[in-house]
Amino acid sequence: MRVKATGRAVLVTASALLLTTACGSSGGGSDGKASARKGSSSAARTALQRAALEQGDVPGYQVSADTTAQGRSRPQADRKLCQPLADVMGDQPNPQARETVNRGLGSQRKLGLAVAASLSAYTRPDAEKLIRDLRAAVAACSGFKVDLGGTSSRYGSVRARPYRIGGDESVSWSASSTQVNVETPVHIVVVRQGATIVRFMTINLGAPVQGRAQELVEVPRDVADKQLEKVRRVLSAP
């Protein structure tokens, strides 16, 4: 896994949690249908880019985006029932995503607090199924190991967590990421707005502790609210 800093305060562990951005790849082909799919994918990506957070949207955060195309690598969980949670740790919520645009946000006020915010285009049935699968996985999977490109990460203390947010439906959970005997708190919120999936992942590298790590970090409300407001305004526009 290639890890890079994103802005002054965006720090990344060696885990599969992506706090940098990765461009989505679009399918190609030599026939007319493939060209049509590529055009549709390009349009979807453009719409997501317009709805994604930009520098200045959320005061107190540095926003970055990686425009360099990267090859996709799907995280693999050691337990099948945990695979939906492992997928969320990758560059797209799951393989059914048509396009994904990622942003990394680093807090300029609280060193070590970093947020990944991504937007993904789906068919509505696939978006609805993703939320169902995540809810089931959170309920059934208390811990799991993830392998991504030869790098292993372990996630424990997976627990559903109340989090009030807009959108049509959402799922929220906490976990702890363990690397070299250091436990780092993680909070993840996935929201469906129509056929768009909005994903937030937050870590606080300034407060790695043992034990009740899941209580130490939360997706910042100002980031979540601004992103959902922008999705509704931009993607719902005629």
Side-chain angles (χ1 to χ4, degrees):
M1 174 180 175
R2 189 160 63 100
V3 179
K4 63 175 80 172
T6 59
R8 187 171 66 90
V10 180
L11 305 176
V12 187
T13 62
S15 73
L17 177 61
L18 294 180
L19 296 179
T20 58
T21 59
C23 281
S25 61
S26 56
S30 59
D31 59 14
K33 290 183 178 179
S35 296
R37 287 195 300 270
K38 184 175 182 180
S40 176
S41 178
S42 178
R45 184 168 184 79
T46 298
L48 293 178
Q49 290 280 14
R50 290 173 49 235
L53 292 174
E54 297 177 351
Q55 186 64 36
D57 281 345
V58 188
Y61 291 87
Q62 183 166 334
V63 181
S64 65
D66 185 359
T67 58
T68 303
Q70 300 177 22
R72 291 196 184 282
S73 180
R74 185 182 184 187
Q76 296 296 319
D78 60 345
R79 301 166 63 197
K80 184 176 179 180
L81 61 86
C82 303
Q83 187 59 45
L85 304 182
D87 282 336
V88 164
M89 301 296 177
D91 65 354
Q92 57 184 356
N94 69 7
Q96 282 67 50
R98 293 178 164 182
E99 281 290 344
T100 296
V101 169
N102 293 289
R103 294 289 184 266
L105 294 89
S107 174
Q108 296 172 318
R109 300 167 181 164
K110 191 171 184 179
L111 185 63
L113 180 65
V115 186
S118 77
L119 306 180
S120 299
Y122 282 79
T123 65
R124 182 157 182 152
D126 282 345
E128 292 172 346
K129 184 177 185 300
L130 172 62
I131 298 296
R132 292 196 303 270
D133 288 348
L134 287 173
R135 286 175 177 163
V138 169
C141 185
S142 61
F144 59 101
K145 183 179 178 181
V146 170
D147 182 79
L148 180 62
T151 298
S152 295
S153 306
R154 184 170 296 280
Y155 292 87
S157 303
V158 177
R159 300 177 183 176
R161 177 170 170 178
Y163 188 82
R164 185 178 300 175
I165 193 170
D168 295 326
E169 56 181 337
S170 64
V171 57
S172 164
W173 69 96
S174 291
S176 59
S177 171
T178 301
Q179 290 286 332
V180 197
N181 297 320
V182 175
E183 189 176 0
T184 303
V186 183
H187 183 212
I188 300 174
V189 179
V190 180
V191 185
R192 180 181 68 82
Q193 179 71 43
T196 302
I197 290 293
V198 185
R199 175 184 51 166
F200 302 100
M201 295 184 284
T202 298
I203 63 173
N204 185 357
L205 294 178
V209 299
Q210 299 294 327
R212 299 168 61 188
Q214 70 275 5
E215 297 182 3
L216 299 179
V217 66
E218 181 174 85
V219 172
R221 297 282 175 175
D222 49 355
V223 173
D225 290 345
K226 180 61 180 181
Q227 180 62 93
L228 264 293
E229 180 274 328
K230 198 169 183 181
V231 165
R232 288 190 295 265
R233 174 168 49 85
V234 174
L235 299 183
S236 298

